[in-house]
Amino acid sequence: MSTATYTRFELLRAARNIRFFAITLAFPLLLFLLVATPNRHEELGGIPFPVYYMSGMVAWGTMGAVIGSGARIAAERQLGWNRQLRVTPLTARSYLRAKVATGYSVALVSIAGLYTAGAAVGVRLPAGRWISMTVMILIGLIPFAVIGIWMGHVISADSIGPAIGGATSLLALLGGAYGPVASGGFLLQLTQLLPSYWLVQAGHIAVNGGPWPAKAWAVLIVWTAVFTRLAARAWRRDTQRD
């Protein structure tokens, strides 16, 4: 099986998973419309409320999309499908790339849907700001893609759904996706150590212009490095077990 064939299979599989699409696409979109529409003329933290809430819902939806690859990995481990794949020409790197590519594809659909809804309720940004925000979001999703792979190899198929849902919701909450958690002090400093905080901030920074601060890059790099190591260790353990 070639890499392109397997990636296409993964994309079709994700598209047919109605429950997955409902959680990662419909829920953030519906919540955005319900909350942002009646508050479209308000501001929060000096940012137009629709922009603020759109950023939060994009963060929530895209996190769920890329971490969701863990559910597919866990299911394949339970069924023994990954053992079958290991006897094909498909390499481990291509297998994981397909999972990440599928998660990012769903994330892009979520971004497009929420951008469209945002524009419908009055979000107006120059084209360059939309592009900048999107690029920052896609970069900010890297640690979550690795977290999804790690979770898929350490959590059983029966438990992975609640684990992913709980982890995504908690990270979104602490990251400020539903609203600011803290305006200063220790709690703010603590939330700034989470990659979800900077994923939400991608939209806010895009409004005002300018790049992420150095602290954001450091947080993303550290989380990615740590969970890449954990995911690689879990993958080797699975391979040895099989």
Side-chain angles (χ1 to χ4, degrees), residues 7-55:
T7 302
R8 185 164 58 250
F9 165 76
E10 281 291 304
L11 290 170
L12 289 172
R13 181 183 174 191
R16 291 169 180 166
N17 191 333
I18 304 301
R19 184 175 64 177
F20 175 65
F21 264 80
I23 294 173
T24 59
L25 301 180
F27 283 6
L29 182 59
L30 180 61
L31 188 57
F32 170 76
L33 290 173
L34 289 174
V35 177
T37 302
N39 296 288
R40 59 184 177 274
H41 302 302
E42 305 296 328
E43 288 192 357
L44 185 60
I47 299 173
F49 187 85
V51 176
Y52 189 103
Y53 214 68
M54 182 185 70
S55 302

Side-chain angles (χ1 to χ4, degrees), residues 220-238:
L220 295 177
I221 290 170
V222 169
W223 276 72
T224 300
V226 169
F227 278 95
T228 296
R229 187 176 183 85
L230 291 174
R233 184 179 301 172
W235 169 266
R236 287 194 296 269
R237 186 167 59 245
D238 259 4

Side-chain angles (χ1 to χ4, degrees), residues 3 6-7 10 72 93-103:
T3 302
Y6 184 68
T7 302
E10 281 291 304
R72 295 185 289 276
R93 184 171 296 178
S94 296
Y95 170 82
L96 296 176
R97 280 177 180 170
K99 300 297 185 190
V100 173
T102 301

Side-chain angles (χ1 to χ4, degrees), residues 10 13-14 17 20 23-24 60-75 99-100 102-104 106 144-149 151-152 160-161 164-165 168:
E10 281 291 304
R13 181 183 174 191
N17 191 333
F20 175 65
I23 294 173
T24 59
W60 180 32
T62 55
M63 273 193 291
V66 296
I67 294 179
S69 64
R72 295 185 289 276
I73 292 173
K99 300 297 185 190
V100 173
T102 301
Y104 264 82
V106 178
F144 299 104
V146 181
I147 290 171
I149 293 170
M151 292 180 73
I160 192 72
I164 288 176
T168 302

Side-chain angles (χ1 to χ4, degrees), residues 109-171:
V109 175
S110 180
I111 290 170
L114 282 158
Y115 280 7
T116 302
V121 299
V123 175
R124 299 290 182 268
L125 295 172
R129 298 287 175 86
W130 286 106
I131 294 171
S132 174
M133 178 166 56
T134 304
V135 171
M136 293 171 75
I137 289 168
L138 295 178
I139 294 172
L141 287 173
I142 294 174
F144 299 104
V146 181
I147 290 171
I149 293 170
W150 171 73
M151 292 180 73
H153 284 96
V154 299
I155 302 176
S156 69
D158 295 332
S159 304
I160 192 72
I164 288 176
T168 302
S169 297
L170 181 61
L171 285 168

